Amino acid sequence: MKVKGIKHIFFDLDHTLWDFDKNSALTFEKIFEIHELQVNTANFLSVYEPINLNYWKLYREEKIDKENLRYRRLKDTFDAIGCQVSDRIINTLSEDYITYLTTFNHLFDDTVDILNHLKNDYKLHIITNGFEEAQQKKMDNAKISHYFATVTNSEAAGVKKPNPIIFNHALGVANAKPNESLMIGDNYEADILGAEAIGMDVILFNYHDYNADDYIKQVKHLKDLKKYL
């Protein structure tokens, strides 16, 4: 059923349009090769990914800063897989990861198709918790920047999703009202509950089969947004 009264659509970037997991895996392969680290990337990622998600939750909750997030997620993973890596190398890997991450630009299937489908009927925007220095490069290199009228990141807003301040900041920049705006993202807490709390409509991009409340509109493929928009 088509959603009525929406003029502005706000997208999350990582894990929603930009295929973070695929691009991140390729980045780790590259930086391990550069630094001649004998690490099985698949094994590393199986340990790293839940550690990283936990640190991002702490980061959203203002319990850890960016520098500690970048260091601890690598340190904890190397410790867990029994690989001794010096702090100097970890800090170098942390910087190289951010540098090379934006050189890989895989998007989720149908990203460009759905943006083309939506661009003439809605104003499109981004709200992201990602680091400011990386997010614009991701969109530029993936050639999707031109679709978005505004981009709000957590560093510019001073808080992270699901804090209502970042959503209200994004609405203000976009000159949009909550009741004419819709948020699309993969993170139930940060994107969906955060946007819903200030009166925005929401659609969960539920490609990872999160057990969401039944009343939440959700899609497993971006092309399925056409059912609602």
Side-chain angles (χ1 to χ4, degrees):
M1 188 169 85
K2 298 289 185 181
V3 178
K4 304 294 185 183
I6 297 300
K7 298 179 181 178
H8 298 267
I9 297 176
F10 294 81
F11 280 95
D12 177 42
L13 182 60
D14 295 335
H15 303 286
T16 299
L17 301 175
W18 198 80
D19 193 339
F20 185 91
D21 289 340
K22 181 181 288 187
N23 295 322
S24 180
L26 291 167
T27 302
F28 276 118
E29 286 181 0
K30 185 176 185 72
I31 63 176
F32 290 162
E33 181 180 354
I34 289 171
H35 294 282
E36 299 180 341
L37 290 178
Q38 302 302 309
V39 178
N40 182 289
T41 305
N43 291 342
F44 174 89
L45 289 172
S46 69
V47 176
Y48 170 83
E49 287 174 356
I51 289 174
N52 184 47
L53 286 174
N54 183 60
Y55 274 117
W56 269 99
K57 186 174 189 299
L58 295 174
Y59 181 65
R60 288 197 305 272
E61 296 169 352
E62 311 286 349
K63 294 176 180 177
I64 191 172
D65 62 17
K66 180 168 67 173
E67 288 71 27
N68 271 298
L69 181 153
R70 288 177 170 180
Y71 170 79
R72 293 303 320 177
R73 62 187 179 181
L74 293 176
K75 172 66 173 170
D76 288 6
T77 303
F78 285 126
D79 287 348
I81 64 175
C83 182
Q84 290 194 338
V85 180
S86 69
D87 282 352
R88 181 184 65 82
I89 293 295
I90 288 175
N91 285 322
T92 301
L93 289 170
S94 174
E95 292 300 321
D96 285 353
Y97 178 80
I98 299 300
T99 298
Y100 288 105
L101 182 62
T102 58
T103 68
F104 297 100
N105 294 288
H106 294 280
L107 300 169
F108 277 95
D109 289 343
D110 304 308
T111 291
V112 172
D113 176 62
I114 197 64
L115 293 176
N116 281 324
H117 171 74
L118 298 173
K119 68 179 183 179
N120 292 326
D121 295 321
Y122 307 93
K123 287 282 189 182
L124 306 182
H125 312 272
I126 293 285
I127 308 179
T128 174
N129 279 353
F131 301 138
E132 185 171 9
E133 63 267 34
Q135 300 305 77
Q136 190 62 50
K137 288 181 182 177
K138 291 175 183 176
M139 292 188 291
D140 289 346
N141 293 342
K143 297 179 171 54
I144 59 171
S145 295
H146 63 284
Y147 289 105
F148 303 103
T150 69
V151 177
T152 296
N153 65 71
S154 58
E155 290 181 293
V159 295
K160 305 163 192 73
K161 297 178 291 183
N163 192 309
I165 291 173
I166 190 172
F167 291 100
N168 284 318
H169 176 85
L171 290 172
V173 172
N175 194 27
K177 298 175 182 176
N179 64 357
E180 61 186 24
S181 302
L182 180 144
M183 180 75 200
I184 299 169
D186 73 293
N187 189 293
Y188 189 65
E189 176 188 9
D191 298 316
I192 303 308
L193 297 184
E196 190 181 42
I198 68 155
M200 295 173 68
D201 204 343
V202 293
I203 298 177
L204 175 65
F205 178 38
N206 198 10
Y207 70 95
H208 34 40
D209 290 323
Y210 183 86
N211 187 22
D213 290 332
D214 290 340
Y215 75 90
I216 297 292
K217 294 185 288 294
Q218 52 187 289
V219 297
K220 292 190 178 181
H221 306 280
L222 291 175
K223 63 183 179 181
D224 294 336
L225 289 170
K226 293 178 182 180
K227 294 188 300 185
Y228 298 109
L229 301 164

